[in-house]
Amino acid sequence: MIEEAAKLLARSRFAIAFTGAGISAESRVPTFRGSNGLWKTHRPEELATPEAFRRDPHLVWSFYKWRMELIGKARPNPAHYALAELERMGILKAVITQNVDDLHREAGTKNLIELHGNIFRVRCTSCDYKENLKESGRLEEFLKEKDLPKCPECGSLLRPDVVWFGEPLPRKALEEAFRLAERADLVLVIGTSGVVYPAAYIPQIVKETGGKVIEVNPEESGITPIADVFLRCPAGEAMEKLMERIEGLVR
Ligand code: OAD
Ligand code: ZN
């Protein structure tokens, strides 16, 4: 199976990756679904919708600050590094992620499309103000503040720059993702349940336009029925093995 996946990747002309929470599980970032998933103990309708934020911004902000802190301590794992390396090798053209954790960027991926936003970015609920707290160096100070965060430009409430349930995805990112999927002759799908739309269309588009689908996941997912190769394995282990084979093939 690994051999087959390595051959397909090495032979591909325009490969892309599509990732979800599972690729960061080995970096100790909790996933959403599955046995230890966040949505088992937390109700998304109370924490991750615009209505919830209007009703109780303190509760929503406490949840996001907790995640910011946890994710702020997380480091990329071998699977994130493997994707960055595949890009450097010229094999992978882009990583399209549903994750907000910034770990692909930390690992060195350059062409990164974030469909659901970024947890380290905040934006104003009234004006155009946006800030990346990691880049501005204000993350620690921001996490310590007990009051609700306010816009330095206009004083309105700030919100996390992530996509909540019921909200549209950032238009440019989604268009770029669809464009890449139409062009791709292979998609490497790693660690997603493949049940959240429109993101889950990405591998389907690749398949429908004649491309191959390689999936890495320790469990079956919504993508498994269309996978040409299914590596039933945690992301780090699968990607380490895959990289060994590919390096042998392209050398
Ligand atoms: P999910 O939590 O739905 O799915 C995580 C997937 O990762 C599951 O299929 C697991 O089997 C798999 N997995 C677990 N450990 C793994 C490992 N070590 N290696 C590889 N795979 C592993 O996460 P997503 O599919 O990303 O949306 O969820 C999609 C969206 O739903 C998220 O972006 C978020 C969520 O609600 C928004 O916030 C808008
Ligand atoms: Zn503002």
Side-chain angles (χ1 to χ4, degrees):
M1 289 301 253
I2 292 268
E3 194 62 43
E4 175 68 7
K7 273 189 200 152
L8 286 173
L9 254 173
R11 277 192 213 132
S12 71
R13 280 174 300 104
F14 198 93
I16 59 173
F18 175 63
T19 66
I23 195 171
S24 299
E26 289 153 84
S27 297
R28 291 191 293 267
V29 179
T31 62
F32 297 99
R33 296 167 190 83
S35 48
N36 295 317
L38 267 181
W39 299 150
K40 278 271 152 68
T41 48
H42 297 68
R43 293 159 63 85
E45 61 276 20
E46 284 172 9
L47 298 167
T49 67
E51 294 75 28
F53 190 61
R54 273 197 294 275
R55 210 182 309 128
D56 195 345
H58 279 281
L59 178 72
V60 173
W61 260 120
S62 69
F63 174 67
Y64 277 92
K65 284 192 172 182
W66 167 72
R67 290 198 65 209
M68 274 178 169
E69 190 167 7
L70 186 136
I71 292 172
K73 291 184 190 130
R75 297 276 69 90
N77 67 55
H80 297 104
Y81 288 117
L83 294 185
E85 179 60 23
L86 284 171
E87 184 182 50
R88 276 193 295 271
M89 292 166 80
I91 293 176
L92 205 61
K93 307 299 188 229
V95 175
I96 301 167
T97 190
Q98 300 164 86
N99 299 345
V100 297
D101 59 28
D102 222 27
L103 293 178
H104 287 299
R105 190 171 285 109
E106 290 261 324
T109 288
K110 296 282 183 283
N111 194 13
L112 178 64
I113 288 112
E114 294 174 312
L115 291 178
H116 292 163
N118 186 298
I119 191 123
F120 296 111
R121 247 179 3 237
V122 294
R123 66 175 157 96
C124 181
T125 51
S126 308
C127 75
D128 288 338
Y129 184 78
K130 266 193 195 199
E131 180 178 350
N132 183 316
L133 296 163
K134 219 154 123 181
E135 285 166 12
S136 68
R138 285 207 322 122
L139 183 60
E140 221 173 303
E141 169 195 340
F142 185 90
L143 291 175
K144 274 195 208 124
E145 178 60 55
K146 294 282 175 288
D147 291 335
L148 285 173
K150 296 287 163 55
C151 174
E153 304 266 321
C154 78
S156 302
L157 189 58
L158 291 176
R159 59 162 283 175
D161 194 12
V162 300
V163 175
W164 283 328
F165 288 101
E167 291 188 316
L169 272 57
R171 196 173 55 89
K172 274 177 71 182
L174 188 62
E175 281 173 4
E176 176 68 0
F178 282 163
R179 214 178 53 79
L180 287 162
E182 280 161 15
R183 206 174 152 192
D185 60 354
L186 185 149
V187 61
L188 184 55
V189 181
I190 309 178
T192 180
S193 54
V195 296
V196 176
Y197 287 86
Y201 285 126
I202 303 299
Q204 296 179 21
I205 293 171
V206 178
K207 184 80 179 185
E208 279 161 18
T209 49
K212 298 284 184 197
V213 178
I214 300 174
E215 181 180 31
V216 178
N217 197 314
E219 310 281 340
E220 285 189 10
S221 78
I223 310 298
T224 315
I226 62 162
D228 295 284
V229 180
F230 178 39
L231 305 174
R232 189 166 192 154
C233 186
E237 188 187 325
M239 290 309 294
E240 269 178 342
K241 286 188 186 154
L242 196 57
M243 291 310 287
E244 283 171 22
R245 303 289 164 93
I246 288 188
E247 275 152 15
L249 286 172
V250 298
R251 207 175 279 134

